[in-house]
Amino acid sequence: MASLITCPHCGVRPKEEFSIRGDASLIRPAPTASDEAWHDYVYVRANPRGRTLEHWQHVAGCRRFLVVERDTFTHEVHSVTDGAVFARENGR
């Protein structure tokens, strides 16, 4: 069975229409942050097992960026939010 993602703009679509863009839980350091903080932000990543927030792009549809809450162990998608809405709601 194919995995499906519900795009808030296009509806239920196969996961092959989307491209993962990375961790959505990271917070960018201030421009004046230390080199170590920037190094950690750019290069050091956790690889958690379980629910995570990820940036995805609907490349074969509306081309919008989305924030997908997905379980990295089961690949189950729990929620999908438009990236701009997620940014406004989380003060980013």
Coordinates of all heavy atoms in Angstrom, one line a residue:
M1 N 0.8 -1.2 0.0 CA 0.0 0.0 0.0 C 0.9 1.2 0.0 O 1.8 1.3 0.7 CB -0.9 0.0 1.2 CG -1.7 1.2 1.4 SD -2.8 1.1 2.9 CE -4.3 1.4 2.1
A2 N 0.5 2.2 -0.8 CA 1.3 3.4 -0.9 C 1.1 4.3 0.3 O 0.0 4.3 0.8 CB 0.9 4.2 -2.2
S3 N 2.1 5.0 0.7 CA 2.0 6.0 1.8 C 1.3 7.3 1.2 O 1.6 7.7 0.1 CB 3.3 6.4 2.4 OG 3.9 5.3 3.0
L4 N 0.4 7.9 2.0 CA -0.3 9.1 1.5 C 0.0 10.2 2.5 O 0.1 10.0 3.7 CB -1.8 8.8 1.4 CG -2.2 7.6 0.5 CD1 -3.7 7.4 0.6 CD2 -1.9 8.0 -0.9
I5 N 0.0 11.4 1.9 CA 0.2 12.6 2.7 C -1.0 13.5 2.3 O -1.2 13.7 1.2 CB 1.5 13.3 2.5 CG1 2.7 12.3 3.0 CG2 1.6 14.6 3.2 CD1 4.1 12.9 2.7
T6 N -1.6 14.1 3.3 CA -2.7 15.1 3.1 C -2.2 16.5 3.0 O -1.9 17.1 4.0 CB -3.8 14.9 4.1 OG1 -4.3 13.6 4.2 CG2 -5.0 15.9 3.8
C7 N -2.0 17.0 1.8 CA -1.6 18.4 1.6 C -2.7 19.3 2.0 O -3.9 19.1 1.5 CB -1.1 18.6 0.1 SG -0.7 20.3 -0.2
P8 N -2.5 20.3 2.8 CA -3.6 21.2 3.1 C -4.2 22.0 1.9 O -5.3 22.5 2.0 CB -3.0 22.2 4.1 CG -1.6 21.8 4.4 CD -1.3 20.7 3.4
H9 N -3.4 22.0 0.8 CA -3.9 22.7 -0.4 C -4.4 21.8 -1.5 O -5.3 22.2 -2.2 CB -2.7 23.6 -0.9 CG -2.1 24.5 0.1 ND1 -2.7 25.6 0.6 CD2 -1.0 24.3 0.8 CE1 -2.0 26.2 1.5 NE2 -0.9 25.4 1.7
C10 N -3.8 20.6 -1.6 CA -4.2 19.7 -2.7 C -4.9 18.5 -2.3 O -5.4 17.7 -3.2 CB -2.9 19.3 -3.4 SG -1.9 20.7 -4.0
G11 N -5.0 18.2 -1.0 CA -5.7 17.0 -0.6 C -4.8 15.8 -0.4 O -3.6 16.0 -0.4
V12 N -5.3 14.6 -0.4 CA -4.6 13.4 -0.2 C -3.8 13.1 -1.5 O -4.4 13.0 -2.6 CB -5.5 12.2 0.2 CG1 -4.7 11.0 0.3 CG2 -6.3 12.5 1.4
R13 N -2.5 12.9 -1.3 CA -1.6 12.7 -2.4 C -0.6 11.6 -2.1 O -0.2 11.5 -0.9 CB -0.8 14.0 -2.8 CG -1.7 15.2 -3.0 CD -2.7 15.1 -4.0 NE -2.1 14.9 -5.3 CZ -2.7 14.6 -6.4 NH1 -4.0 14.4 -6.4 NH2 -2.1 14.4 -7.5
P14 N 0.0 10.9 -3.0 CA 1.0 9.9 -2.7 C 2.3 10.5 -2.3 O 2.6 11.6 -2.8 CB 1.2 9.1 -4.1 CG 0.6 10.0 -5.1 CD -0.4 10.9 -4.4
K15 N 3.0 9.9 -1.4 CA 4.3 10.5 -0.9 C 5.3 10.8 -1.9 O 6.2 11.6 -1.7 CB 4.8 9.6 0.3 CG 5.5 8.4 -0.2 CD 6.2 7.7 0.9 CE 6.8 6.4 0.6 NZ 7.5 6.2 -0.7
E16 N 5.2 10.1 -3.1 CA 6.2 10.3 -4.1 C 6.1 11.7 -4.7 O 7.0 12.2 -5.4 CB 6.0 9.3 -5.2 CG 6.4 7.9 -4.8 CD 5.4 7.2 -4.0 OE1 4.2 7.6 -3.9 OE2 5.8 6.2 -3.3
E17 N 5.0 12.5 -4.5 CA 4.9 13.8 -4.9 C 5.6 14.8 -4.1 O 5.7 16.0 -4.4 CB 3.4 14.2 -5.0 CG 2.6 13.6 -6.1 CD 1.3 14.2 -6.2 OE1 1.0 15.2 -5.6 OE2 0.5 13.7 -7.0
F18 N 6.2 14.4 -2.9 CA 6.8 15.3 -1.9 C 8.3 15.0 -1.8 O 8.8 13.9 -2.1 CB 6.2 15.0 -0.6 CG 4.7 15.3 -0.5 CD1 3.8 14.4 -0.9 CD2 4.2 16.6 -0.1 CE1 2.4 14.7 -0.9 CE2 2.9 16.9 -0.1 CZ 2.0 15.9 -0.5
S19 N 9.0 16.0 -1.4 CA 10.5 15.9 -1.2 C 10.7 16.4 0.2 O 10.4 17.5 0.6 CB 11.2 16.7 -2.2 OG 12.6 16.6 -2.0
I20 N 11.4 15.5 1.0 CA 11.8 15.9 2.4 C 12.9 16.9 2.3 O 13.9 16.8 1.5 CB 12.1 14.7 3.2 CG1 12.2 15.1 4.7 CG2 13.4 14.0 2.7 CD1 12.2 13.9 5.7
R21 N 12.8 18.0 3.2 CA 13.8 19.0 3.2 C 14.6 19.2 4.5 O 15.4 20.0 4.6 CB 13.1 20.4 2.8 CG 12.5 20.4 1.5 CD 13.6 20.2 0.4 NE 13.0 20.3 -0.9 CZ 13.6 20.0 -2.0 NH1 14.9 19.6 -1.9 NH2 13.0 20.1 -3.2
G22 N 14.2 18.4 5.5 CA 15.0 18.4 6.8 C 14.2 18.7 8.0 O 12.9 18.8 8.0
D23 N 14.9 18.7 9.1 CA 14.3 18.9 10.4 C 13.6 20.2 10.6 O 14.2 21.3 10.4 CB 15.4 18.7 11.5 CG 15.0 18.7 12.9 OD1 13.8 18.9 13.2 OD2 15.8 18.3 13.7
A24 N 12.4 20.2 11.0 CA 11.6 21.5 11.2 C 11.7 21.9 12.7 O 11.1 23.0 13.0 CB 10.2 21.3 10.8
S25 N 12.3 21.2 13.5 CA 12.4 21.6 14.9 C 13.6 22.5 15.3 O 13.7 23.0 16.4 CB 12.3 20.4 15.9 OG 13.5 19.6 15.7
L26 N 14.5 22.6 14.3 CA 15.7 23.4 14.6 C 15.4 24.9 14.6 O 14.5 25.4 13.9 CB 16.7 23.2 13.5 CG 17.3 21.8 13.4 CD1 18.2 21.7 12.1 CD2 18.1 21.4 14.6
I27 N 16.1 25.6 15.5 CA 15.9 27.0 15.6 C 17.3 27.7 15.2 O 18.3 27.4 15.8 CB 15.5 27.5 17.0 CG1 14.1 26.9 17.3 CG2 15.5 29.0 17.2 CD1 13.6 27.1 18.7
R28 N 17.2 28.5 14.3 CA 18.4 29.2 13.7 C 19.1 30.1 14.8 O 18.4 30.9 15.4 CB 18.0 30.0 12.5 CG 19.2 30.6 11.8 CD 18.6 31.4 10.6 NE 19.7 32.1 9.9 CZ 20.1 31.6 8.7 NH1 19.6 30.6 8.1 NH2 21.1 32.2 8.1
P29 N 20.4 30.0 15.0 CA 21.0 30.9 16.0 C 21.0 32.3 15.5 O 20.8 32.6 14.3 CB 22.5 30.4 16.0 CG 22.5 29.1 15.3 CD 21.3 29.0 14.4
A30 N 21.2 33.2 16.5 CA 21.3 34.6 16.2 C 22.5 34.9 15.3 O 23.5 34.2 15.4 CB 21.4 35.5 17.4
P31 N 22.5 35.9 14.5 CA 23.7 36.2 13.6 C 24.9 36.4 14.4 O 26.0 36.2 14.0 CB 23.3 37.5 12.9 CG 21.8 37.5 12.9 CD 21.4 36.8 14.2
T32 N 24.8 36.8 15.7 CA 26.0 37.1 16.5 C 26.4 35.9 17.4 O 27.2 36.0 18.2 CB 25.7 38.3 17.5 OG1 24.5 38.0 18.2 CG2 25.5 39.6 16.7
A33 N 25.7 34.7 17.1 CA 26.0 33.5 17.9 C 27.4 33.1 17.7 O 28.1 33.4 16.7 CB 25.0 32.4 17.6
S34 N 27.9 32.3 18.6 CA 29.3 31.8 18.5 C 29.5 30.8 17.3 O 28.5 30.3 16.8 CB 29.7 31.0 19.8 OG 28.9 29.8 19.8
D35 N 30.7 30.7 16.9 CA 31.0 29.7 15.8 C 30.6 28.3 16.2 O 30.1 27.6 15.3 CB 32.5 29.7 15.5 CG 33.0 31.0 14.8 OD1 32.1 31.7 14.3 OD2 34.2 31.2 14.8
E36 N 30.7 28.0 17.5 CA 30.3 26.6 17.9 C 28.8 26.4 17.7 O 28.3 25.4 17.3 CB 30.7 26.4 19.4 CG 30.4 25.0 19.9 CD 30.8 24.8 21.3 OE1 31.5 25.6 21.9 OE2 30.4 23.8 21.9
A37 N 28.0 27.5 18.1 CA 26.6 27.4 17.9 C 26.2 27.2 16.4 O 25.3 26.4 16.1 CB 25.9 28.6 18.5
W38 N 26.9 28.0 15.6 CA 26.6 27.8 14.1 C 27.1 26.5 13.6 O 26.4 25.8 12.8 CB 27.3 29.0 13.3 CG 26.4 30.2 13.3 CD1 26.5 31.3 14.1 CD2 25.2 30.4 12.6 NE1 25.5 32.2 13.9 CE2 24.7 31.6 12.9 CE3 24.6 29.6 11.6 CZ2 23.6 32.2 12.3 CZ3 23.4 30.1 11.0 CH2 22.9 31.4 11.4
H39 N 28.2 26.0 14.1 CA 28.7 24.7 13.7 C 27.6 23.6 14.1 O 27.3 22.7 13.2 CB 30.0 24.4 14.3 CG 30.5 23.0 14.0 ND1 30.2 21.9 14.8 CD2 31.3 22.5 13.0 CE1 30.7 20.8 14.3 NE2 31.4 21.2 13.2
D40 N 27.1 23.6 15.3 CA 26.2 22.7 15.7 C 24.9 22.8 14.9 O 24.3 21.7 14.5 CB 25.8 22.9 17.2 CG 27.0 22.5 18.1 OD1 28.0 21.8 17.6 OD2 26.9 22.8 19.3
Y41 N 24.4 24.0 14.6 CA 23.2 24.2 13.8 C 23.3 23.6 12.4 O 22.4 23.0 11.9 CB 22.9 25.7 13.8 CG 21.7 26.0 12.8 CD1 20.4 25.7 13.2 CD2 22.0 26.6 11.6 CE1 19.4 26.1 12.4 CE2 20.9 26.9 10.8 CZ 19.6 26.6 11.1 OH 18.6 27.0 10.3
V42 N 24.5 23.8 11.8 CA 24.7 23.4 10.4 C 25.0 21.9 10.3 O 24.5 21.2 9.4 CB 25.8 24.2 9.7 CG1 26.1 23.7 8.3 CG2 25.3 25.7 9.6
Y43 N 25.9 21.4 11.2 CA 26.4 20.0 11.0 C 26.0 19.0 12.0 O 26.0 17.8 11.6 CB 28.0 20.1 11.1 CG 28.6 20.9 10.0 CD1 29.1 22.2 10.2 CD2 28.5 20.5 8.6 CE1 29.7 22.9 9.2 CE2 29.1 21.3 7.6 CZ 29.6 22.5 7.9 OH 30.1 23.3 6.9
V44 N 25.6 19.3 13.2 CA 25.2 18.3 14.2 C 23.7 18.1 14.2 O 23.0 19.0 14.4 CB 25.7 18.7 15.6 CG1 25.4 17.7 16.6 CG2 27.2 19.0 15.5
R45 N 23.3 16.8 13.9 CA 21.9 16.5 13.9 C 21.6 15.2 14.7 O 22.4 14.3 14.7 CB 21.5 16.2 12.4 CG 21.6 17.3 11.5 CD 20.4 18.3 11.7 NE 20.3 19.3 10.7 CZ 20.8 20.5 10.9 NH1 21.4 20.9 12.0 NH2 20.7 21.4 9.9
A46 N 20.5 15.3 15.4 CA 20.0 14.1 16.1 C 19.3 13.2 15.1 O 18.9 13.7 14.0 CB 19.1 14.5 17.2
N47 N 19.2 11.9 15.4 CA 18.5 11.0 14.5 C 17.5 10.3 15.4 O 17.7 9.1 15.7 CB 19.5 10.0 13.8 CG 18.8 9.2 12.8 OD1 17.7 9.5 12.3 ND2 19.5 8.1 12.4
P48 N 16.4 11.0 15.8 CA 15.5 10.4 16.8 C 14.7 9.3 16.2 O 14.4 9.3 15.0 CB 14.7 11.6 17.2 CG 14.7 12.5 16.0 CD 16.0 12.3 15.4
R49 N 14.2 8.4 17.1 CA 13.3 7.4 16.7 C 11.9 7.8 17.3 O 11.8 8.0 18.5 CB 13.7 6.0 17.3 CG 12.8 4.9 17.0 CD 13.3 3.6 17.5 NE 12.3 2.6 17.3 CZ 12.6 1.3 17.5 NH1 13.8 0.9 18.0 NH2 11.7 0.4 17.3
G50 N 10.9 7.9 16.4 CA 9.6 8.3 16.9 C 9.1 9.5 16.2 O 9.6 9.8 15.1
R51 N 8.2 10.2 16.8 CA 7.6 11.4 16.2 C 8.6 12.6 16.0 O 9.3 12.9 17.0 CB 6.4 11.9 17.0 CG 5.2 11.0 16.8 CD 4.0 11.7 17.5 NE 2.8 10.9 17.3 CZ 1.6 11.3 17.5 NH1 1.4 12.6 17.8 NH2 0.6 10.5 17.3
T52 N 8.7 13.1 14.8 CA 9.5 14.3 14.6 C 8.8 15.2 13.7 O 7.8 14.9 13.0 CB 10.8 13.8 13.8 OG1 10.5 13.2 12.6 CG2 11.6 12.9 14.6
L53 N 9.2 16.5 13.6 CA 8.7 17.5 12.7 C 9.7 17.7 11.6 O 10.9 17.8 11.9 CB 8.5 18.8 13.5 CG 7.4 18.9 14.5 CD1 7.5 20.2 15.2 CD2 6.1 18.6 13.9
E54 N 9.2 17.6 10.4 CA 10.1 17.7 9.2 C 9.5 18.7 8.2 O 8.3 18.8 8.0 CB 10.2 16.3 8.5 CG 10.8 15.2 9.4 CD 10.6 13.9 8.8 OE1 9.6 13.6 8.1 OE2 11.5 13.0 9.1
H55 N 10.4 19.4 7.5 CA 10.0 20.2 6.4 C 9.9 19.3 5.2 O 10.8 18.5 4.9 CB 11.1 21.3 6.1 CG 11.1 22.4 7.0 ND1 10.1 23.3 7.2 CD2 12.0 22.8 7.9 CE1 10.4 24.2 8.1 NE2 11.6 23.9 8.6
W56 N 8.8 19.4 4.4 CA 8.6 18.7 3.2 C 8.1 19.7 2.2 O 7.5 20.7 2.5 CB 7.5 17.6 3.3 CG 7.9 16.4 4.1 CD1 8.3 16.4 5.4 CD2 7.9 15.1 3.6 NE1 8.6 15.1 5.8 CE2 8.3 14.3 4.7 CE3 7.6 14.5 2.4 CZ2 8.5 12.9 4.6 CZ3 7.7 13.1 2.3 CH2 8.2 12.3 3.4
Q57 N 8.4 19.5 0.9 CA 7.9 20.3 -0.2 C 7.1 19.5 -1.1 O 7.5 18.4 -1.5 CB 9.0 21.0 -0.9 CG 8.5 22.0 -2.0 CD 9.6 22.7 -2.8 OE1 10.7 22.2 -2.8 NE2 9.2 23.8 -3.4
H58 N 5.9 20.0 -1.5 CA 5.0 19.3 -2.4 C 5.5 19.7 -3.8 O 4.9 20.5 -4.5 CB 3.6 19.7 -2.2 CG 2.6 18.9 -2.9 ND1 1.2 19.0 -2.8 CD2 2.8 17.8 -3.7 CE1 0.6 18.1 -3.5 NE2 1.5 17.3 -4.1
V59 N 6.5 19.0 -4.3 CA 7.2 19.4 -5.5 C 6.4 19.0 -6.8 O 6.5 19.7 -7.8 CB 8.6 18.7 -5.6 CG1 9.5 19.3 -4.6 CG2 8.5 17.2 -5.5
A60 N 5.5 18.0 -6.7 CA 4.7 17.7 -7.9 C 3.2 18.2 -7.7 O 2.3 17.6 -8.3 CB 4.7 16.1 -8.0
G61 N 3.1 19.2 -6.9 CA 1.7 19.7 -6.7 C 1.8 21.2 -6.5 O 2.3 21.9 -7.4
C62 N 1.4 21.7 -5.4 CA 1.3 23.2 -5.2 C 2.7 23.8 -4.9 O 2.8 25.0 -4.9 CB 0.4 23.5 -4.0 SG 0.9 22.7 -2.4
R63 N 3.7 23.0 -4.7 CA 5.1 23.4 -4.5 C 5.3 24.2 -3.1 O 6.3 24.8 -2.9 CB 5.7 24.3 -5.6 CG 5.6 23.5 -7.0 CD 6.4 24.0 -8.1 NE 7.9 24.2 -7.7 CZ 8.8 23.2 -7.7 NH1 8.4 22.0 -8.0 NH2 10.0 23.5 -7.5
R64 N 4.3 24.1 -2.3 CA 4.4 24.8 -1.0 C 5.2 23.9 -0.1 O 5.4 22.7 -0.2 CB 3.0 24.9 -0.4 CG 2.0 25.7 -1.1 CD 2.2 27.2 -1.0 NE 2.2 27.5 0.4 CZ 1.8 28.7 0.9 NH1 1.4 29.6 0.1 NH2 1.9 28.9 2.2
F65 N 5.8 24.6 0.9 CA 6.6 24.0 2.0 C 5.6 23.6 3.1 O 4.7 24.4 3.4 CB 7.7 24.8 2.5 CG 8.9 24.8 1.6 CD1 9.1 25.7 0.6 CD2 9.9 23.8 1.8 CE1 10.2 25.7 -0.2 CE2 11.0 23.8 1.0 CZ 11.1 24.7 0.0
L66 N 5.7 22.4 3.6 CA 4.8 21.9 4.7 C 5.7 21.5 5.8 O 6.8 21.1 5.7 CB 4.0 20.8 4.1 CG 3.3 21.0 2.8 CD1 2.7 19.7 2.3 CD2 2.2 22.0 3.0
V67 N 5.0 21.4 7.0 CA 5.7 20.8 8.2 C 4.9 19.6 8.5 O 3.7 19.6 8.7 CB 5.7 21.8 9.4 CG1 6.2 21.0 10.6 CG2 6.5 23.0 9.1
V68 N 5.5 18.4 8.4 CA 4.9 17.1 8.5 C 5.4 16.5 9.9 O 6.6 16.4 10.1 CB 5.3 16.2 7.4 CG1 4.7 14.8 7.6 CG2 4.8 16.8 6.0
E69 N 4.4 16.1 10.7 CA 4.8 15.4 11.9 C 4.7 13.9 11.5 O 3.6 13.4 11.2 CB 3.8 15.7 13.0 CG 4.2 14.9 14.3 CD 3.2 15.2 15.4 OE1 2.1 15.7 15.2 OE2 3.5 14.8 16.6
R70 N 5.8 13.2 11.6 CA 5.9 11.8 11.1 C 6.7 11.0 12.1 O 7.6 11.5 12.7 CB 6.7 11.8 9.7 CG 6.8 10.5 9.1 CD 7.5 10.6 7.8 NE 8.9 10.9 7.9 CZ 9.9 10.0 8.0 NH1 9.6 8.7 7.9 NH2 11.1 10.4 8.1
D71 N 6.3 9.7 12.2 CA 7.0 8.8 13.1 C 8.1 8.2 12.2 O 7.8 7.6 11.2 CB 6.0 7.7 13.6 CG 6.7 6.9 14.6 OD1 7.7 6.2 14.3 OD2 6.1 6.8 15.7
T72 N 9.4 8.3 12.6 CA 10.5 7.8 11.9 C 10.6 6.3 11.9 O 11.4 5.7 11.1 CB 11.8 8.5 12.3 OG1 12.0 8.2 13.7 CG2 11.8 10.0 12.1
F73 N 9.9 5.7 12.9 CA 10.0 4.2 13.0 C 8.9 3.6 12.1 O 9.2 2.6 11.4 CB 9.9 3.8 14.5 CG 10.0 2.4 14.7 CD1 11.2 1.7 14.4 CD2 8.9 1.6 15.1 CE1 11.3 0.3 14.6 CE2 9.0 0.3 15.3 CZ 10.2 -0.4 15.1
T74 N 7.7 4.1 12.2 CA 6.6 3.5 11.5 C 6.3 4.2 10.2 O 5.5 3.6 9.4 CB 5.3 3.5 12.4 OG1 4.9 4.8 12.6 CG2 5.5 2.8 13.7
H75 N 6.8 5.4 10.0 CA 6.6 6.2 8.8 C 5.1 6.7 8.8 O 4.7 7.3 7.8 CB 6.9 5.5 7.5 CG 8.4 5.1 7.5 ND1 9.4 6.0 7.4 CD2 8.9 3.9 7.6 CE1 10.5 5.4 7.4 NE2 10.3 4.1 7.5
E76 N 4.4 6.6 9.9 CA 3.0 7.1 9.9 C 3.0 8.6 10.0 O 3.8 9.2 10.8 CB 2.3 6.5 11.2 CG 0.9 7.0 11.3 CD 0.2 6.5 12.6 OE1 0.9 5.7 13.3 OE2 -0.9 6.9 12.8
V77 N 2.2 9.3 9.2 CA 2.1 10.7 9.2 C 1.0 11.1 10.1 O -0.2 10.6 10.0 CB 1.8 11.3 7.8 CG1 1.5 12.7 7.8 CG2 3.0 11.0 6.9
H78 N 1.3 11.9 11.1 CA 0.3 12.3 12.2 C -0.4 13.6 11.9 O -1.5 13.8 12.2 CB 1.0 12.4 13.6 CG 1.5 11.0 14.0 ND1 0.7 10.1 14.5 CD2 2.7 10.5 14.0 CE1 1.4 9.0 14.8 NE2 2.6 9.2 14.5
S79 N 0.3 14.6 11.3 CA -0.3 15.9 10.9 C 0.6 16.5 9.8 O 1.7 16.2 9.6 CB -0.4 16.8 12.1 OG 0.9 17.2 12.6
V80 N -0.1 17.4 9.1 CA 0.5 18.2 8.1 C 0.0 19.6 8.2 O -1.2 19.9 8.3 CB 0.2 17.7 6.6 CG1 0.9 18.5 5.6 CG2 0.6 16.2 6.5
T81 N 1.0 20.6 8.3 CA 0.6 22.0 8.4 C 1.4 22.8 7.3 O 2.5 22.5 7.0 CB 1.1 22.5 9.8 OG1 0.5 21.7 10.8 CG2 0.7 24.0 10.0
D82 N 0.7 23.8 6.8 CA 1.4 24.7 5.8 C 2.6 25.3 6.6 O 2.5 25.8 7.7 CB 0.4 25.8 5.3 CG 1.1 26.7 4.3 OD1 1.1 26.3 3.1 OD2 1.6 27.7 4.8
G83 N 3.7 25.4 5.9 CA 4.9 26.0 6.5 C 4.8 27.4 7.0 O 5.3 27.7 8.1
A84 N 4.1 28.2 6.3 CA 3.9 29.6 6.7 C 3.0 29.7 7.9 O 3.3 30.5 8.8 CB 3.3 30.4 5.5
V85 N 2.0 28.9 8.0 CA 1.1 28.8 9.2 C 1.9 28.4 10.4 O 1.8 28.9 11.5 CB -0.1 27.9 8.9 CG1 -0.9 27.7 10.2 CG2 -1.0 28.5 7.8
F86 N 2.7 27.3 10.2 CA 3.6 26.8 11.3 C 4.5 27.9 11.8 O 4.7 28.1 13.0 CB 4.4 25.6 10.8 CG 5.2 25.0 11.8 CD1 4.7 24.1 12.7 CD2 6.6 25.3 11.9 CE1 5.5 23.5 13.7 CE2 7.4 24.8 12.9 CZ 6.9 23.9 13.8
A87 N 5.1 28.6 10.9 CA 6.1 29.7 11.3 C 5.4 30.8 12.1 O 5.9 31.2 13.1 CB 6.7 30.3 10.1
R88 N 4.2 31.2 11.6 CA 3.4 32.2 12.4 C 3.0 31.7 13.8 O 3.1 32.5 14.7 CB 2.2 32.6 11.6 CG 2.4 33.7 10.5 CD 1.1 34.3 10.0 NE 0.2 33.3 9.5 CZ 0.1 32.8 8.3 NH1 1.0 33.2 7.4 NH2 -0.8 31.9 7.9
E89 N 2.5 30.5 13.8 CA 2.1 30.0 15.1 C 3.2 29.7 16.1 O 3.0 29.7 17.3 CB 1.3 28.7 14.9 CG 0.0 28.9 14.2 CD -0.8 27.6 13.9 OE1 -0.1 26.5 14.0 OE2 -1.9 27.7 13.4
N90 N 4.4 29.5 15.6 CA 5.5 29.2 16.5 C 6.5 30.4 16.6 O 7.7 30.2 17.0 CB 6.2 28.0 16.0 CG 5.3 26.8 16.2 OD1 5.2 26.3 17.3 ND2 4.7 26.3 15.1
G91 N 6.2 31.6 16.1 CA 7.0 32.8 16.3 C 8.3 32.7 15.5 O 9.3 33.2 16.0
R92 N 8.3 32.1 14.4 CA 9.6 32.0 13.6 C 9.5 32.8 12.4 O 8.6 33.2 11.8 CB 9.8 30.5 13.2 CG 10.0 29.6 14.4 CD 10.4 28.3 13.9 NE 10.4 27.4 15.0 CZ 10.8 26.1 15.0 NH1 11.1 25.6 13.8 NH2 10.8 25.4 16.0

